[in-house]
Amino acid sequence: ELERYSHDLAKKPFIVAATKADLLGSGKRLEDLQRHLRDRADTCFLVSAATGEGIDVLVTAIGRRLETMRRSS
């Protein structure tokens, strides 16, 4: 989808947040998503807004990524 919008944007690093971790079967879905994104996304996190699961890990990863980007620019 990003490639159709902008080739430049699609080349940038990104993190995927897979939502609805609280639903049954999300673990299998995350594995399928990670397999699909293996060569495209830097990291894929399973999160749930309803339960808060995975939010801290996602926020920490985003902070680390931003710090790395600041240092390299």
Side-chain angles (χ1 to χ4, degrees):
E1 187 173 326
L2 283 176
E3 290 174 2
R4 288 188 300 228
Y5 177 74
S6 168
H7 291 289
D8 291 334
L9 184 60
K11 292 178 184 177
K12 294 184 182 271
F14 61 94
I15 294 173
V16 173
T19 62
K20 309 228 184 277
D22 53 302
L23 298 179
L24 184 63
S26 293
K28 169 81 168 90
R29 291 181 184 147
L30 178 64
E31 290 172 14
D32 292 344
L33 181 60
Q34 286 173 325
R35 215 174 358 266
H36 176 72
L37 296 172
R38 187 174 302 144
D39 298 325
R40 302 169 85 187
D42 297 329
T43 313
C44 185
F45 294 93
L46 183 61
V47 298
S48 170
T51 66
E53 178 184 346
I55 300 295
D56 290 342
V57 175
L58 174 62
V59 170
T60 299
I62 292 170
R64 287 181 181 156
R65 170 49 57 97
L66 290 173
E67 185 61 34
T68 300
M69 292 171 71
R70 282 188 199 118
R71 289 180 184 166
S72 66
S73 60

Short mmCIF file of all heavy atoms in Angstrom, two decimals:
data_model
loop_
_atom_site.label_atom_id
_atom_site.label_comp_id
_atom_site.label_asym_id
_atom_site.label_seq_id
_atom_site.Cartn_x
_atom_site.Cartn_y
_atom_site.Cartn_z
N GLU A 1 0.82 -1.19 0.00
CA GLU A 1 0.00 0.00 0.00
C GLU A 1 0.87 1.25 0.00
O GLU A 1 0.58 2.20 -0.71
CB GLU A 1 -0.92 -0.02 1.22
CG GLU A 1 -1.91 1.10 1.19
CD GLU A 1 -2.93 0.99 2.32
OE1 GLU A 1 -3.30 -0.13 2.68
OE2 GLU A 1 -3.32 2.03 2.82
N LEU A 2 1.93 1.25 0.80
CA LEU A 2 2.83 2.41 0.82
C LEU A 2 3.49 2.63 -0.53
O LEU A 2 3.66 3.77 -0.96
CB LEU A 2 3.91 2.25 1.89
CG LEU A 2 3.49 2.50 3.32
CD1 LEU A 2 4.66 2.20 4.26
CD2 LEU A 2 3.00 3.91 3.53
N GLU A 3 3.86 1.56 -1.19
CA GLU A 3 4.52 1.67 -2.49
C GLU A 3 3.61 2.34 -3.52
O GLU A 3 4.08 3.10 -4.35
CB GLU A 3 4.97 0.31 -2.99
CG GLU A 3 6.12 -0.24 -2.18
CD GLU A 3 6.48 -1.66 -2.56
OE1 GLU A 3 5.86 -2.23 -3.48
OE2 GLU A 3 7.39 -2.20 -1.92
N ARG A 4 2.32 2.06 -3.46
CA ARG A 4 1.39 2.71 -4.39
C ARG A 4 1.27 4.19 -4.09
O ARG A 4 1.08 5.00 -4.99
CB ARG A 4 0.02 2.05 -4.31
CG ARG A 4 0.00 0.67 -4.93
CD ARG A 4 -1.40 0.15 -5.01
NE ARG A 4 -1.97 0.08 -3.67
CZ ARG A 4 -2.62 -0.94 -3.16
NH1 ARG A 4 -2.81 -2.00 -3.89
NH2 ARG A 4 -3.08 -0.93 -1.94
N TYR A 5 1.40 4.56 -2.83
CA TYR A 5 1.30 5.96 -2.41
C TYR A 5 2.58 6.71 -2.71
O TYR A 5 2.56 7.79 -3.28
CB TYR A 5 0.95 6.04 -0.92
CG TYR A 5 0.89 7.44 -0.39
CD1 TYR A 5 -0.18 8.27 -0.69
CD2 TYR A 5 1.92 7.93 0.40
CE1 TYR A 5 -0.22 9.56 -0.21
CE2 TYR A 5 1.87 9.22 0.89
CZ TYR A 5 0.81 10.03 0.58
OH TYR A 5 0.75 11.31 1.05
N SER A 6 3.71 6.14 -2.29
CA SER A 6 5.00 6.81 -2.46
C SER A 6 6.13 5.80 -2.38
O SER A 6 6.31 5.15 -1.35
CB SER A 6 5.19 7.88 -1.38
OG SER A 6 6.52 8.34 -1.35
N HIS A 7 6.91 5.70 -3.45
CA HIS A 7 8.05 4.78 -3.44
C HIS A 7 9.08 5.20 -2.40
O HIS A 7 9.70 4.37 -1.74
CB HIS A 7 8.69 4.69 -4.82
CG HIS A 7 7.84 4.02 -5.82
ND1 HIS A 7 7.59 2.66 -5.79
CD2 HIS A 7 7.13 4.50 -6.87
CE1 HIS A 7 6.79 2.34 -6.79
NE2 HIS A 7 6.49 3.43 -7.46
N ASP A 8 9.29 6.50 -2.25
CA ASP A 8 10.25 7.00 -1.25
C ASP A 8 9.81 6.65 0.16
O ASP A 8 10.62 6.22 0.99
CB ASP A 8 10.43 8.52 -1.38
CG ASP A 8 11.15 8.91 -2.65
OD1 ASP A 8 11.92 8.08 -3.19
OD2 ASP A 8 10.94 10.04 -3.12
N LEU A 9 8.54 6.84 0.45
CA LEU A 9 8.02 6.51 1.78
C LEU A 9 8.14 5.01 2.06
O LEU A 9 8.49 4.61 3.17
CB LEU A 9 6.57 6.97 1.90
CG LEU A 9 5.91 6.79 3.26
CD1 LEU A 9 6.66 7.57 4.33
CD2 LEU A 9 4.46 7.25 3.20
N ALA A 10 7.89 4.20 1.06
CA ALA A 10 7.95 2.75 1.23
C ALA A 10 9.35 2.26 1.54
O ALA A 10 9.53 1.19 2.13
CB ALA A 10 7.41 2.06 -0.02
N LYS A 11 10.36 3.03 1.19
CA LYS A 11 11.75 2.64 1.43
C LYS A 11 12.21 2.97 2.85
O LYS A 11 13.23 2.48 3.29
CB LYS A 11 12.67 3.34 0.43
CG LYS A 11 12.49 2.84 -0.98
CD LYS A 11 13.38 3.61 -1.92
CE LYS A 11 13.13 3.19 -3.35
NZ LYS A 11 13.94 3.97 -4.28
N LYS A 12 11.46 3.78 3.56
CA LYS A 12 11.85 4.19 4.91
C LYS A 12 11.57 3.07 5.91
O LYS A 12 10.66 2.26 5.71
CB LYS A 12 11.09 5.45 5.31
CG LYS A 12 11.47 6.65 4.48
CD LYS A 12 10.77 7.89 4.97
CE LYS A 12 11.12 9.05 4.09
NZ LYS A 12 12.29 9.75 4.51
N PRO A 13 12.34 3.01 6.99
CA PRO A 13 12.08 1.98 8.01
C PRO A 13 10.74 2.22 8.70
O PRO A 13 10.30 3.36 8.82
CB PRO A 13 13.24 2.17 8.99
CG PRO A 13 13.76 3.53 8.76
CD PRO A 13 13.44 3.88 7.34
N PHE A 14 10.10 1.14 9.12
CA PHE A 14 8.83 1.29 9.82
C PHE A 14 8.62 0.16 10.81
O PHE A 14 9.25 -0.89 10.73
CB PHE A 14 7.66 1.39 8.84
CG PHE A 14 7.45 0.19 7.95
CD1 PHE A 14 6.57 -0.81 8.30
CD2 PHE A 14 8.12 0.10 6.74
CE1 PHE A 14 6.37 -1.90 7.47
CE2 PHE A 14 7.93 -0.99 5.90
CZ PHE A 14 7.05 -1.98 6.27
N ILE A 15 7.73 0.41 11.74
CA ILE A 15 7.35 -0.55 12.76
C ILE A 15 5.86 -0.84 12.58
O ILE A 15 5.08 0.08 12.36
CB ILE A 15 7.60 0.02 14.18
CG1 ILE A 15 9.10 0.20 14.42
CG2 ILE A 15 6.99 -0.87 15.25
CD1 ILE A 15 9.44 0.92 15.71
N VAL A 16 5.49 -2.09 12.69
CA VAL A 16 4.09 -2.48 12.56
C VAL A 16 3.53 -2.79 13.95
O VAL A 16 4.15 -3.52 14.73
CB VAL A 16 3.94 -3.72 11.65
CG1 VAL A 16 2.51 -4.24 11.67
CG2 VAL A 16 4.38 -3.41 10.24
N ALA A 17 2.38 -2.21 14.26
CA ALA A 17 1.67 -2.51 15.50
C ALA A 17 0.40 -3.28 15.11
O ALA A 17 -0.52 -2.71 14.54
CB ALA A 17 1.32 -1.23 16.24
N ALA A 18 0.40 -4.57 15.39
CA ALA A 18 -0.77 -5.41 15.13
C ALA A 18 -1.69 -5.30 16.34
O ALA A 18 -1.30 -5.64 17.45
CB ALA A 18 -0.33 -6.85 14.90
N THR A 19 -2.89 -4.83 16.12
CA THR A 19 -3.82 -4.55 17.21
C THR A 19 -4.73 -5.74 17.52
O THR A 19 -4.72 -6.74 16.83
CB THR A 19 -4.69 -3.33 16.87
OG1 THR A 19 -5.46 -3.62 15.70
CG2 THR A 19 -3.82 -2.11 16.63
N LYS A 20 -5.49 -5.57 18.57
CA LYS A 20 -6.48 -6.55 19.02
C LYS A 20 -5.85 -7.82 19.58
O LYS A 20 -6.33 -8.93 19.38
CB LYS A 20 -7.46 -6.88 17.91
CG LYS A 20 -8.06 -5.64 17.27
CD LYS A 20 -9.53 -5.76 17.14
CE LYS A 20 -10.12 -4.57 16.42
NZ LYS A 20 -10.35 -3.43 17.23
N ALA A 21 -4.75 -7.66 20.30
CA ALA A 21 -4.04 -8.79 20.90
C ALA A 21 -4.93 -9.57 21.86
O ALA A 21 -4.67 -10.74 22.13
CB ALA A 21 -2.79 -8.31 21.63
N ASP A 22 -5.96 -8.93 22.35
CA ASP A 22 -6.84 -9.57 23.32
C ASP A 22 -7.80 -10.58 22.69
O ASP A 22 -8.43 -11.36 23.40
CB ASP A 22 -7.64 -8.51 24.08
CG ASP A 22 -8.36 -7.56 23.15
OD1 ASP A 22 -7.67 -6.92 22.32
OD2 ASP A 22 -9.59 -7.44 23.24
N LEU A 23 -7.88 -10.60 21.37
CA LEU A 23 -8.80 -11.53 20.71
C LEU A 23 -8.17 -12.91 20.55
O LEU A 23 -6.97 -13.05 20.34
CB LEU A 23 -9.20 -10.99 19.33
CG LEU A 23 -9.95 -9.66 19.36
CD1 LEU A 23 -10.29 -9.22 17.95
CD2 LEU A 23 -11.22 -9.76 20.19
N LEU A 24 -8.98 -13.91 20.63
CA LEU A 24 -8.53 -15.30 20.50
C LEU A 24 -7.84 -15.52 19.16
O LEU A 24 -8.32 -15.10 18.13
CB LEU A 24 -9.73 -16.24 20.63
CG LEU A 24 -9.45 -17.73 20.61
CD1 LEU A 24 -8.59 -18.11 21.81
CD2 LEU A 24 -10.74 -18.51 20.62
N GLY A 25 -6.69 -16.16 19.20
CA GLY A 25 -6.00 -16.51 17.96
C GLY A 25 -5.06 -15.45 17.44
O GLY A 25 -4.50 -15.59 16.38
N SER A 26 -4.89 -14.35 18.16
CA SER A 26 -4.04 -13.28 17.68
C SER A 26 -2.58 -13.72 17.55
O SER A 26 -1.86 -13.23 16.70
CB SER A 26 -4.11 -12.07 18.60
OG SER A 26 -5.38 -11.48 18.54
N GLY A 27 -2.12 -14.64 18.38
CA GLY A 27 -0.74 -15.12 18.32
C GLY A 27 -0.43 -15.73 16.97
O GLY A 27 0.60 -15.44 16.36
N LYS A 28 -1.31 -16.56 16.46
CA LYS A 28 -1.14 -17.18 15.14
C LYS A 28 -1.18 -16.11 14.07
O LYS A 28 -0.39 -16.14 13.12
CB LYS A 28 -2.24 -18.21 14.92
CG LYS A 28 -2.33 -18.74 13.51
CD LYS A 28 -1.31 -19.83 13.25
CE LYS A 28 -1.59 -20.55 11.95
NZ LYS A 28 -0.93 -19.97 10.82
N ARG A 29 -2.06 -15.17 14.20
CA ARG A 29 -2.16 -14.10 13.22
C ARG A 29 -0.89 -13.26 13.20
O ARG A 29 -0.43 -12.83 12.15
CB ARG A 29 -3.37 -13.22 13.51
CG ARG A 29 -4.67 -13.93 13.25
CD ARG A 29 -5.85 -13.05 13.51
NE ARG A 29 -7.06 -13.82 13.34
CZ ARG A 29 -8.16 -13.63 14.04
NH1 ARG A 29 -8.20 -12.71 14.96
NH2 ARG A 29 -9.21 -14.36 13.82
N LEU A 30 -0.32 -13.01 14.37
CA LEU A 30 0.92 -12.24 14.44
C LEU A 30 2.04 -13.00 13.74
O LEU A 30 2.81 -12.41 12.97
CB LEU A 30 1.32 -11.94 15.88
CG LEU A 30 2.64 -11.17 16.03
CD1 LEU A 30 2.53 -9.79 15.40
CD2 LEU A 30 3.01 -11.05 17.49
N GLU A 31 2.12 -14.29 13.96
CA GLU A 31 3.15 -15.11 13.29
C GLU A 31 3.00 -15.01 11.78
O GLU A 31 3.99 -14.86 11.06
CB GLU A 31 3.06 -16.56 13.75
CG GLU A 31 3.49 -16.78 15.18
CD GLU A 31 3.21 -18.20 15.65
OE1 GLU A 31 2.94 -19.08 14.79
OE2 GLU A 31 3.28 -18.43 16.85
N ASP A 32 1.77 -15.09 11.29
CA ASP A 32 1.52 -14.98 9.85
C ASP A 32 1.92 -13.60 9.34
O ASP A 32 2.54 -13.48 8.28
CB ASP A 32 0.04 -15.24 9.54
CG ASP A 32 -0.38 -16.68 9.78
OD1 ASP A 32 0.51 -17.56 9.89
OD2 ASP A 32 -1.60 -16.92 9.86
N LEU A 33 1.58 -12.57 10.09
CA LEU A 33 1.93 -11.21 9.70
C LEU A 33 3.44 -11.01 9.70
O LEU A 33 4.00 -10.44 8.76
CB LEU A 33 1.27 -10.20 10.64
CG LEU A 33 1.52 -8.73 10.34
CD1 LEU A 33 1.01 -8.35 8.96
CD2 LEU A 33 0.86 -7.86 11.41
N GLN A 34 4.12 -11.51 10.73
CA GLN A 34 5.57 -11.39 10.79
C GLN A 34 6.23 -12.10 9.61
O GLN A 34 7.19 -11.59 9.03
CB GLN A 34 6.10 -11.95 12.11
CG GLN A 34 5.82 -11.06 13.28
CD GLN A 34 6.19 -11.69 14.60
OE1 GLN A 34 6.07 -12.89 14.79
NE2 GLN A 34 6.66 -10.87 15.52
N ARG A 35 5.72 -13.25 9.26
CA ARG A 35 6.25 -13.99 8.11
C ARG A 35 6.07 -13.17 6.84
O ARG A 35 6.97 -13.06 6.01
CB ARG A 35 5.55 -15.34 8.00
CG ARG A 35 6.41 -16.44 7.52
CD ARG A 35 5.78 -17.84 7.52
NE ARG A 35 4.43 -18.00 8.02
CZ ARG A 35 4.12 -18.34 9.28
NH1 ARG A 35 5.06 -18.53 10.16
NH2 ARG A 35 2.87 -18.50 9.64
N HIS A 36 4.91 -12.58 6.69
CA HIS A 36 4.60 -11.76 5.50
C HIS A 36 5.49 -10.52 5.43
O HIS A 36 5.92 -10.12 4.35
CB HIS A 36 3.13 -11.35 5.52
CG HIS A 36 2.74 -10.45 4.42
ND1 HIS A 36 2.63 -10.87 3.10
CD2 HIS A 36 2.46 -9.13 4.41
CE1 HIS A 36 2.29 -9.85 2.35
NE2 HIS A 36 2.18 -8.78 3.11
N LEU A 37 5.79 -9.93 6.57
CA LEU A 37 6.55 -8.68 6.62
C LEU A 37 8.05 -8.90 6.84
O LEU A 37 8.80 -7.94 6.97
CB LEU A 37 6.02 -7.79 7.74
CG LEU A 37 4.60 -7.29 7.57
CD1 LEU A 37 4.15 -6.59 8.84
CD2 LEU A 37 4.49 -6.36 6.38
N ARG A 38 8.48 -10.12 6.87
CA ARG A 38 9.86 -10.46 7.24
C ARG A 38 10.90 -9.55 6.62
O ARG A 38 11.80 -9.06 7.29
CB ARG A 38 10.14 -11.90 6.86
CG ARG A 38 11.49 -12.40 7.35
CD ARG A 38 11.68 -13.87 7.08
NE ARG A 38 10.60 -14.61 7.72
CZ ARG A 38 10.03 -15.69 7.21
NH1 ARG A 38 10.44 -16.18 6.08
NH2 ARG A 38 9.06 -16.31 7.84
N ASP A 39 10.81 -9.28 5.34
CA ASP A 39 11.82 -8.48 4.66
C ASP A 39 11.43 -7.01 4.52
O ASP A 39 12.15 -6.23 3.91
CB ASP A 39 12.10 -9.06 3.28
CG ASP A 39 12.64 -10.47 3.36
OD1 ASP A 39 13.39 -10.76 4.31
OD2 ASP A 39 12.31 -11.28 2.47
N ARG A 40 10.29 -6.62 5.07
CA ARG A 40 9.80 -5.27 4.85
C ARG A 40 9.74 -4.42 6.10
O ARG A 40 10.09 -3.25 6.07
CB ARG A 40 8.42 -5.35 4.20
CG ARG A 40 8.48 -6.12 2.89
CD ARG A 40 7.13 -6.42 2.37
NE ARG A 40 6.65 -5.28 1.61
CZ ARG A 40 5.44 -5.20 1.14
NH1 ARG A 40 4.58 -6.15 1.37
NH2 ARG A 40 5.07 -4.16 0.45
N ALA A 41 9.26 -4.96 7.17
CA ALA A 41 9.13 -4.19 8.41
C ALA A 41 10.30 -4.47 9.33
O ALA A 41 10.82 -5.58 9.36
CB ALA A 41 7.83 -4.53 9.12
N ASP A 42 10.71 -3.48 10.06
CA ASP A 42 11.81 -3.65 10.99
C ASP A 42 11.37 -4.50 12.18
O ASP A 42 12.08 -5.38 12.63
CB ASP A 42 12.30 -2.30 11.50
CG ASP A 42 12.85 -1.47 10.37
OD1 ASP A 42 13.39 -2.05 9.41
OD2 ASP A 42 12.74 -0.24 10.44
N THR A 43 10.20 -4.22 12.68
CA THR A 43 9.71 -4.90 13.86
C THR A 43 8.19 -4.94 13.81
O THR A 43 7.55 -4.01 13.35
CB THR A 43 10.14 -4.16 15.13
OG1 THR A 43 11.52 -3.85 15.05
CG2 THR A 43 9.92 -5.01 16.36
N CYS A 44 7.62 -6.02 14.34
CA CYS A 44 6.17 -6.15 14.40
C CYS A 44 5.78 -6.46 15.84
O CYS A 44 6.31 -7.40 16.44
CB CYS A 44 5.72 -7.26 13.47
SG CYS A 44 3.94 -7.42 13.34
N PHE A 45 4.88 -5.66 16.41
CA PHE A 45 4.45 -5.83 17.79
C PHE A 45 2.97 -6.13 17.86
O PHE A 45 2.18 -5.56 17.11
CB PHE A 45 4.72 -4.55 18.59
CG PHE A 45 6.16 -4.23 18.74
CD1 PHE A 45 6.80 -3.39 17.84
CD2 PHE A 45 6.91 -4.79 19.77
CE1 PHE A 45 8.14 -3.10 17.97
CE2 PHE A 45 8.25 -4.51 19.91
CZ PHE A 45 8.87 -3.66 19.00
N LEU A 46 2.60 -6.99 18.76
CA LEU A 46 1.20 -7.30 19.02
C LEU A 46 0.76 -6.46 20.22
O LEU A 46 1.39 -6.53 21.27
CB LEU A 46 1.04 -8.79 19.33
CG LEU A 46 -0.37 -9.31 19.56
CD1 LEU A 46 -1.22 -9.09 18.32
CD2 LEU A 46 -0.33 -10.78 19.92
N VAL A 47 -0.28 -5.65 20.02
CA VAL A 47 -0.74 -4.76 21.09
C VAL A 47 -2.26 -4.83 21.23
O VAL A 47 -2.96 -5.24 20.32
CB VAL A 47 -0.34 -3.29 20.82
CG1 VAL A 47 1.17 -3.15 20.76
CG2 VAL A 47 -0.95 -2.76 19.54
N SER A 48 -2.73 -4.43 22.40
CA SER A 48 -4.17 -4.35 22.66
C SER A 48 -4.47 -3.06 23.41
O SER A 48 -3.95 -2.85 24.52
CB SER A 48 -4.63 -5.54 23.51
OG SER A 48 -5.97 -5.33 23.94
N ALA A 49 -5.29 -2.23 22.82
CA ALA A 49 -5.72 -1.02 23.50
C ALA A 49 -6.66 -1.38 24.66
O ALA A 49 -6.67 -0.71 25.69
CB ALA A 49 -6.42 -0.08 22.53
N ALA A 50 -7.42 -2.45 24.50
CA ALA A 50 -8.40 -2.85 25.51
C ALA A 50 -7.72 -3.30 26.81
O ALA A 50 -8.17 -2.95 27.90
CB ALA A 50 -9.30 -3.96 24.98
N THR A 51 -6.63 -4.05 26.68
CA THR A 51 -5.97 -4.58 27.87
C THR A 51 -4.65 -3.90 28.18
O THR A 51 -4.09 -4.07 29.26
CB THR A 51 -5.69 -6.09 27.71
OG1 THR A 51 -4.72 -6.27 26.65
CG2 THR A 51 -6.96 -6.87 27.40
N GLY A 52 -4.11 -3.16 27.22
CA GLY A 52 -2.81 -2.51 27.40
C GLY A 52 -1.64 -3.42 27.07
O GLY A 52 -0.48 -3.01 27.13
N GLU A 53 -1.93 -4.65 26.68
CA GLU A 53 -0.88 -5.62 26.36
C GLU A 53 0.00 -5.10 25.23
O GLU A 53 -0.49 -4.63 24.20
CB GLU A 53 -1.50 -6.94 25.92
CG GLU A 53 -0.50 -8.00 25.51
CD GLU A 53 -1.16 -9.26 24.99
OE1 GLU A 53 -2.37 -9.44 25.19
OE2 GLU A 53 -0.44 -10.06 24.37
N GLY A 54 1.31 -5.15 25.43
CA GLY A 54 2.27 -4.80 24.40
C GLY A 54 2.52 -3.32 24.19
O GLY A 54 3.43 -2.95 23.45
N ILE A 55 1.74 -2.46 24.82
CA ILE A 55 1.87 -1.01 24.60
C ILE A 55 3.23 -0.51 25.09
O ILE A 55 3.93 0.23 24.38
CB ILE A 55 0.73 -0.23 25.28
CG1 ILE A 55 -0.63 -0.66 24.72
CG2 ILE A 55 0.95 1.26 25.13
CD1 ILE A 55 -0.88 -0.35 23.28
N ASP A 56 3.65 -0.91 26.29
CA ASP A 56 4.94 -0.46 26.83
C ASP A 56 6.10 -0.87 25.93
O ASP A 56 7.01 -0.07 25.67
CB ASP A 56 5.17 -1.01 28.24
CG ASP A 56 4.25 -0.38 29.27
OD1 ASP A 56 3.69 0.69 28.98
OD2 ASP A 56 4.10 -0.96 30.35
N VAL A 57 6.07 -2.09 25.45
CA VAL A 57 7.14 -2.58 24.58
C VAL A 57 7.16 -1.80 23.27
O VAL A 57 8.23 -1.42 22.77
CB VAL A 57 6.97 -4.10 24.31
CG1 VAL A 57 7.98 -4.61 23.32
CG2 VAL A 57 7.05 -4.88 25.60
N LEU A 58 5.99 -1.53 22.71
CA LEU A 58 5.89 -0.76 21.47
C LEU A 58 6.43 0.66 21.66
O LEU A 58 7.24 1.13 20.86
CB LEU A 58 4.44 -0.71 20.99
CG LEU A 58 4.17 0.19 19.78
CD1 LEU A 58 4.93 -0.28 18.55
CD2 LEU A 58 2.66 0.26 19.52
N VAL A 59 6.02 1.32 22.71
CA VAL A 59 6.47 2.69 22.98
C VAL A 59 7.98 2.73 23.18
O VAL A 59 8.67 3.62 22.66
CB VAL A 59 5.71 3.29 24.19
CG1 VAL A 59 6.33 4.61 24.63
CG2 VAL A 59 4.24 3.48 23.84
N THR A 60 8.51 1.76 23.89
CA THR A 60 9.96 1.69 24.10
C THR A 60 10.69 1.51 22.76
O THR A 60 11.69 2.17 22.50
CB THR A 60 10.31 0.55 25.06
OG1 THR A 60 9.69 0.80 26.32
CG2 THR A 60 11.81 0.41 25.24
N ALA A 61 10.18 0.63 21.92
CA ALA A 61 10.81 0.39 20.61
C ALA A 61 10.76 1.64 19.74
O ALA A 61 11.74 1.95 19.05
CB ALA A 61 10.11 -0.77 19.91
N ILE A 62 9.66 2.35 19.77
CA ILE A 62 9.55 3.59 19.00
C ILE A 62 10.56 4.61 19.51
O ILE A 62 11.26 5.26 18.72
CB ILE A 62 8.11 4.15 19.04
CG1 ILE A 62 7.17 3.22 18.28
CG2 ILE A 62 8.07 5.56 18.48
CD1 ILE A 62 5.70 3.54 18.48
N GLY A 63 10.67 4.74 20.82
CA GLY A 63 11.63 5.67 21.41
C GLY A 63 13.06 5.34 21.02
O GLY A 63 13.85 6.22 20.66
N ARG A 64 13.40 4.06 21.05
CA ARG A 64 14.75 3.64 20.66
C ARG A 64 15.01 3.93 19.19
O ARG A 64 16.10 4.37 18.82
CB ARG A 64 14.95 2.16 20.95
CG ARG A 64 15.09 1.85 22.41
CD ARG A 64 15.31 0.39 22.66
NE ARG A 64 15.42 0.14 24.08
CZ ARG A 64 15.16 -1.02 24.65
NH1 ARG A 64 14.78 -2.05 23.92
NH2 ARG A 64 15.28 -1.16 25.95
N ARG A 65 14.02 3.65 18.36
CA ARG A 65 14.17 3.90 16.92
C ARG A 65 14.38 5.39 16.66
O ARG A 65 15.25 5.78 15.89
CB ARG A 65 12.95 3.40 16.17
CG ARG A 65 12.87 3.81 14.70
CD ARG A 65 14.16 3.54 13.93
NE ARG A 65 14.53 2.18 14.00
CZ ARG A 65 14.25 1.26 13.06
NH1 ARG A 65 13.61 1.61 11.99
NH2 ARG A 65 14.61 0.02 13.23
N LEU A 66 13.60 6.24 17.31
CA LEU A 66 13.74 7.68 17.13
C LEU A 66 15.11 8.16 17.59
O LEU A 66 15.74 9.00 16.93
CB LEU A 66 12.63 8.43 17.87
CG LEU A 66 11.24 8.28 17.28
CD1 LEU A 66 10.21 8.91 18.21
CD2 LEU A 66 11.17 8.88 15.89
N GLU A 67 15.58 7.64 18.71
CA GLU A 67 16.91 8.02 19.20
C GLU A 67 18.00 7.61 18.21
O GLU A 67 18.90 8.38 17.93
CB GLU A 67 17.16 7.39 20.57
CG GLU A 67 18.45 7.82 21.21
CD GLU A 67 18.55 9.31 21.46
OE1 GLU A 67 17.51 9.94 21.75
OE2 GLU A 67 19.67 9.85 21.37
N THR A 68 17.89 6.41 17.66
CA THR A 68 18.85 5.95 16.67
C THR A 68 18.82 6.84 15.43
O THR A 68 19.87 7.20 14.89
CB THR A 68 18.53 4.49 16.27
OG1 THR A 68 18.61 3.66 17.43
CG2 THR A 68 19.47 3.98 15.20
N MET A 69 17.63 7.22 15.00
CA MET A 69 17.51 8.09 13.83
C MET A 69 18.09 9.47 14.09
O MET A 69 18.75 10.04 13.22
CB MET A 69 16.04 8.17 13.40
CG MET A 69 15.50 6.86 12.87
SD MET A 69 13.73 6.87 12.60
CE MET A 69 13.61 7.94 11.18
N ARG A 70 17.88 9.99 15.30
CA ARG A 70 18.44 11.31 15.65
C ARG A 70 19.96 11.27 15.63
O ARG A 70 20.61 12.20 15.16
CB ARG A 70 17.95 11.73 17.03
CG ARG A 70 16.56 12.25 17.04
CD ARG A 70 16.20 12.82 18.41
NE ARG A 70 14.77 12.89 18.52
CZ ARG A 70 14.02 12.23 19.41
NH1 ARG A 70 14.60 11.48 20.32
NH2 ARG A 70 12.73 12.35 19.42
N ARG A 71 20.54 10.21 16.16
CA ARG A 71 22.00 10.08 16.22
C ARG A 71 22.60 9.96 14.84
O ARG A 71 23.73 10.40 14.62
CB ARG A 71 22.40 8.89 17.07
CG ARG A 71 22.15 9.10 18.54
CD ARG A 71 22.57 7.90 19.32
NE ARG A 71 22.24 8.08 20.74
CZ ARG A 71 22.25 7.12 21.62
NH1 ARG A 71 22.57 5.88 21.25
NH2 ARG A 71 21.94 7.36 22.86
N SER A 72 21.90 9.32 13.92
CA SER A 72 22.46 9.09 12.59
C SER A 72 22.25 10.26 11.64
O SER A 72 22.82 10.29 10.56
CB SER A 72 21.88 7.82 11.98
OG SER A 72 20.50 7.98 11.72
N SER A 73 21.47 11.25 12.05
CA SER A 73 21.24 12.39 11.16
C SER A 73 22.09 13.59 11.49
O SER A 73 22.84 13.66 12.37
CB SER A 73 19.79 12.80 11.16
OG SER A 73 19.36 13.19 12.45
#
